[in-house]
Each structure stands twice: as structure tokens, then as C-alpha cells.
DNA sequence: CGGGTCGTTGAAAAAGTTCAATATTAGTGG
DNA sequence: CCACTAATATTGAACTTTTTCAACGACCCG
């Protein structure tokens, strides 16, 4: 049994728990798995699942009639992911890179957690963050223009997996242009054209398929439609630059 | 203190709790309020809030730069709504009809609930449902065509506030066309044109601004892009009509 | 180093938005 | 109870954006 995964899970989720019993029981009902890049994570579709992503990255997709799949969320190491059971719709969790995961039946997990309110509360807090993130995605998709959606997407990714390199923030995006399009409700061509446009304007740079460097976060925020209306009140200006920050930290923390 | 509201709250949220103490403490930290149609519900923006909607209906909006507001969710009596504190973005809860609500500081609420895991679990379950609903909204918005979004919206509303009238399902929509547009990322004109089209095809009928009757749910589901690809497997057909049902029930139950 | 996937670019078509005018509704006061 | 008014909804036409279809180019893996 992969101790490494559970150790990460312990630190991320059980931190507040005092009960050794909870620890033991969760390690017993958890199912430890690997998934290789591109492969669907095989989960029981019979019950709602709670999945801890110890390593790697995934996308949660809703497959629809036709061929179109909607990407609901991307996840990274340390996230907890709620995957509804089959009859609530056709949801699939797909590995974007090789993954190590621990999956639980949501009910079994909660039955254990109910004996240990601190754990229950941690899960609730993470779920609220997930809700927050899902709402932010809804905001992103509500934006009419492709430019706004892409800019906001890049900022959201910067919050989650960006590396500060001084003059820029660099990202290694594990998802394809198609995934980005399916996540944002755009076609792959439109995504590509928006990247090109941002690249031509030196706001971003790309290298290879997956590396993106963001050179002008402020300008990206403008493109994303953030930033309050140009200094409606002067005192607001000082704080406005950091408006995303609190959310950024929250977003970097957790999942479900 | 409006006992009626708290009685509803008790039935909806505290049902599983055995502790009289929890009941008392929550009634002490809860703030009972009214809000009249069109008015913003005044909440403390200093901390995350949990709001129980005892009566009426609301929209949660994210106000953006410019004038555009994105509607994140609509809520109805019995829902619990998570409203993030101010610095996580500019979220406002607005009454679509006269409302009675109980608002709590999320942290205070959870501190009490942590003593009573059954309540904590109820909140978590509702939050998971809210997440589910938010994801469904993301799916809805991912659909490219306006027709699909509108059809899916109508089905979602039917699930939540539809009255079965034998040959049709009737809805009294508390929100304006503008709200619908802001929720779906469409303009008011596009919403109107889609309604007109569905009306011309006898799939729906409208009377006044807010009454909508759905005469052909199956056809609406097709327009929404639901329904598995036409009988790929014959055995699927029997069950397919009810695919939405489980979710419908879940959706009608709860909020956050 | 070659082949297949993935990404980029172009031109035409489709869909949605915008702007502007008109119609309907619901609420108000006579 | 009706007429009036303001707000909301509908319709039309020009315009903009995105999608679609098709071809080409680049990247990565074996």
C-alpha cells in the first residue's frame, strides 16, 4: 500500500484531526490507484466518490450527447475531487499526467468523518472552496468574448500552478488546447487564435505545446475584464491590484 | 424573532440533529431579515455568510467591471446559500421576490455545527449538491448554442419550481429575461428570440412575463443536447427518459 | 528520424450582439 | 375599474465574433 500517497493525504486533510482511529479507518476504506496520462481514472460509478489526488493532474469531464465533452474542472496534486455517481450524469475523471490517487466512497468517508468533526469540517471547507472555484468558472464562461475567457483562464492557472520567475510567471499546462476549449466553451481554433493574439502583443510567450509565460498580469487582468472601472474612487486603486490575491491563495490550497 | 423562519430552518437543516443545544445556539447567532423584491439582501461582507432562504427567491450575482453582472445561481425557499466575504470578489445576493432569510457568519455556524456532526454533515451534503448544481450550470454554459442553453435552463427550472399540470409543466419564473441572459451568458434579445422560437414550435407557451408552460419535455431535452445518441443500445432507451430524474429530485431538495 | 497527433492559419458560413424601433406588461393613480 | 406610465420584452437589420471546414506546420514519442 503506497504510504507516500496516504502521508500526503494525512497532511492535507487530516491535519486537524486528533483521532488515530480516523486515520486508520480511512486508510482501510481508501482505494489506492495509479492512472497513466490520458487514461480515465477507474472509479466505482455506483456511489458518489471522494478522490484525493496525491500526485499528477486530472480533468473532470461531463460527456454529453454527440461527441462534445465539457471540462468541469482541472485538478492538481493535493486536491480533493467530488465525483458524482453514474446516474447523476456521465462524469469521468481523466488523468492529464500520471497520477497517484486515493478514492473513497463518499458515504463511507463521511460516516467515518462524522466521528471526527474536525475532518468533516476540513472537507466542508474544501467543498466550499470548490464551489467558489466552480462559481469563478461560471463567471469566466459568462464573459462573452473569447479573449476575456482565455485571459481569465490563464490568470486562474497562474494562481494554481504558476512559478514566479521574476519578470514573468511561467506555467506548464498539462492540458491540451482542446481541453482548454472544452473547459471554456470555445473551439480549439478560437483558443489557438487567442493565444496567437496575446503572443503577438507580447503579453504572453509560449514554448513547446505546454509552456506559457505570462509577462503582463495587469494587462491580462484588463483583458479578462477584471479591474474595477478606472479609478471611480481613488482610494480603491491602492487595494485593487491585490483583489485577486486572497482568492489566489485559497485556490492554490485545496480542491474537492 | 420570526419563529416561522426558524421552524423552516429547523426542518430543513437540523432534522438529523438530536441536540437541543445546537438548536438554541444557532437561533442565537442567526440574523433574521426581510428583503423586498429587487433589493439587495444586506449581509456582512466581512466574513463568509451562510444564508437560509426561508421564503422567496434570490439571485447570487457577481458584479464585474463595466456594468455586466453575471448571475451565478438562482435560489428558492428552503435553499442554503454560501455567500463569500467581500474580498473574495464582488458577490451580491438580490431578492427576486419578497424574502425571509436567516443569515449566519459561516465560521460561527460551523463552530456550533462542529459540536453536532449530524448538522455539519447535512451542510456538507447540501454544499455538495450546490457544487453539483454549479457544475451543471457550467455544463449549460459550455453548450455553444443559445438554444441549448435556454432549453437546459428551462429543464433545470422545471426540476426546481415546476408544477405538473398533466399535459404540461408550468413555471412561474421570478427572474427577468435580463437575469436569464446574465445567468446564461446571453443578451436579453437572444433570450427573447429563443423563447419566441420555442413558442412558435409549440414546445412552450408563455403568458405574461413570468409564466411559462413546457409542453414537450422530451423535445426540450433534445434541444438541450441531452439524451444519449439515438438508441446506440436498445436497452438504454427504456431508462433514458428518467436519466434526469434522480438529479431533479436532488436539485429540488437543497441549496447552499 | 519519421509518423501521427496536436496546433496554427485562412476563408466562408453561421450564430450572436448591437442598435434602434415597437409592443406588451404590470403597477399607479385618477 | 380604467387609463396612463415606466419598465420589460419583442422584433428587425446591420454588424461583429465565433464556428466550421480545410490545409498546412510543428512538436513529441518511439
Amino acid at each position: 500500500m503506497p504510504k507516500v500517497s496516504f502521508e500526503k493525504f494525512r497532511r492535507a486533510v487530516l491535519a486537524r484531526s486528533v483521532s488515530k482511529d480516523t486515520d486508520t479507518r480511512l486508510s482501510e476504506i481508501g482505494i489506492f490507484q495509479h492512472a497513466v496520462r490520458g487514461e480515465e481514472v477507474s472509479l466505482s460509478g455506483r456511489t458518489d466518490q471522494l478522490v484525493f489526488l496525491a500526485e499528477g493532474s486530472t480533468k473532470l469531464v461531463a460527456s454529453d450527447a454527440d461527441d462534445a465533452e465539457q471540462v468541469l474542472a482541472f485538478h492538481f496534486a493535493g486536491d480533493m475531487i467530488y465525483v458524482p455517481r453514474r446516474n447523476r450524469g456521465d462524469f469521468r475523471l481523466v488523468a492529464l499526467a500520471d497520477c497517484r490517487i486515493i478514492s473513497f466512497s463518499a458515504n463511507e468517508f463521511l460516516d467515518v468523518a462524522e466521528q471526527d468533526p474536525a475532518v468533516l469540517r476540513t472537507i466542508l471547507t474544501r467543498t466550499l472552496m470548490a464551489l467558489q472555484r466552480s462559481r469563478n468558472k461560471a463567471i469566466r464562461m459568462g464573459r462573452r468574448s473569447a479573449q476575456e475567457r482565455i485571459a481569465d483562464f490563464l490568470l486562474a492557472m497562474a494562481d494554481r500552478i504558476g512559478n514566479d520567475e521574476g519578470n514573468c510567471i511561467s506555467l506548464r499546462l498539462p492540458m491540451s488546447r482542446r481541453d482548454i476549449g472544452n473547459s471554456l466553451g470555445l473551439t480549439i481554433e478560437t483558443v489557438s487564435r487567442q493565444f496567437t493574439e496575446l503572443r503577438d502583443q507580447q503579453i504572453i510567450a509560449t514554448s513547446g505545446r505546454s509552456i506559457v509565460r505570462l509577462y503582463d498580469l495587469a494587462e491580462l487582468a484588463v483583458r479578462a475584464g477584471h479591474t474595477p472601472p478606472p479609478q471611480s474612487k481613488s482610494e480603491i486603486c491602492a487595494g485593487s491590484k491585490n483583489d485577486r490575491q486572497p482568492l489566489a491563495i485559497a485556490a492554490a490550497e485545496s480542491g474537492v
Side-chain angles (χ1 to χ4, degrees), chain A residues 222 225-234 236-237 240:
Chain A
V222 172
H226 298 313
T227 60
Q231 69 226 50
S232 53
K233 281 162 196 155
S234 56
I236 284 179
C237 283
S240 68

Side-chain angles (χ1 to χ4, degrees), chain A residues 2-237:
Chain A
K3 280 192 180 167
V4 190
S5 292
F6 200 78
E7 187 48 46
K8 287 183 181 177
F9 172 73
R10 193 176 278 134
R11 269 202 292 272
V13 178
L14 303 184
R16 286 186 59 215
S17 168
V18 280
S19 157
K20 205 65 202 163
D21 189 42
T22 306
D23 190 296
T24 309
R25 290 166 68 187
L26 287 178
S27 77
E28 282 166 7
I29 64 172
I31 298 171
F32 295 74
Q33 291 175 263
H34 283 246
V36 306
R37 182 185 146 85
E39 183 185 78
E40 175 177 350
V41 178
S42 87
L43 298 169
S44 161
R46 289 191 0 273
T47 62
D48 296 345
Q49 300 282 305
L50 282 174
V51 177
F52 177 75
L53 182 58
E55 205 181 300
S57 53
T58 60
K59 60 178 176 181
L60 179 66
V61 304
S63 293
D64 212 83
D66 311 330
D67 48 354
E69 62 174 36
Q70 174 64 33
V71 172
L72 293 168
F74 297 111
H75 314 95
F76 304 94
D79 283 357
M80 282 214 82
I81 306 148
Y82 167 64
V83 184
R85 66 171 181 272
R86 187 62 43 129
N87 73 351
R88 291 208 216 268
D90 189 11
F91 298 99
R92 293 176 307 133
L93 191 67
V94 178
L96 295 170
D98 295 357
C99 292
R100 302 164 77 90
I101 68 159
I102 313 176
S103 66
F104 304 87
S105 148
N107 280 330
E108 280 180 28
F109 187 105
L110 297 181
D111 286 343
V112 174
E114 202 167 325
Q115 307 305 119
D116 194 336
V119 172
L120 202 52
R121 185 163 177 177
T122 301
I123 296 294
L124 177 57
T125 303
R126 278 168 166 263
T127 305
L128 286 172
M129 281 178 180
L131 179 60
Q132 178 71 27
R133 228 174 293 129
S134 178
R135 284 173 176 174
N136 282 337
K137 183 172 191 324
I139 294 175
R140 184 156 48 242
M141 300 192 55
R143 315 204 141 292
R144 275 104 175 128
S145 90
Q147 176 106 175
E148 288 175 315
R149 296 189 205 185
I150 293 288
D152 193 50
F153 167 80
L154 288 173
L155 289 173
M157 283 302 119
D159 280 343
R160 299 222 59 190
I161 53 171
N163 302 311
D164 194 333
E165 297 191 347
N167 66 331
C168 72
I169 298 216
S170 85
L171 306 174
R172 203 199 142 283
L173 297 179
M175 72 292 283
S176 68
R177 298 285 188 271
R178 181 172 304 281
D179 288 330
I180 297 173
N182 286 340
S183 163
L184 262 30
L186 300 170
T187 60
I188 178 175
E189 292 95 332
T190 301
V191 173
S192 181
R193 277 185 254 265
Q194 294 307 325
F195 269 73
T196 302
E197 196 164 316
L198 291 171
R199 201 186 302 123
D200 289 348
Q201 300 176 243
Q202 326 267 321
I203 296 167
I204 68 172
T206 58
S207 86
R209 291 210 232 274
S210 55
I211 305 289
V212 182
R213 273 178 252 277
L214 314 182
Y215 286 105
D216 192 343
L217 290 186
E219 182 56 25
L220 265 184
V222 172
R223 303 300 176 102
H226 298 313
T227 60
Q231 69 226 50
S232 53
K233 281 162 196 155
S234 56
E235 94 244 31
I236 284 179
C237 283

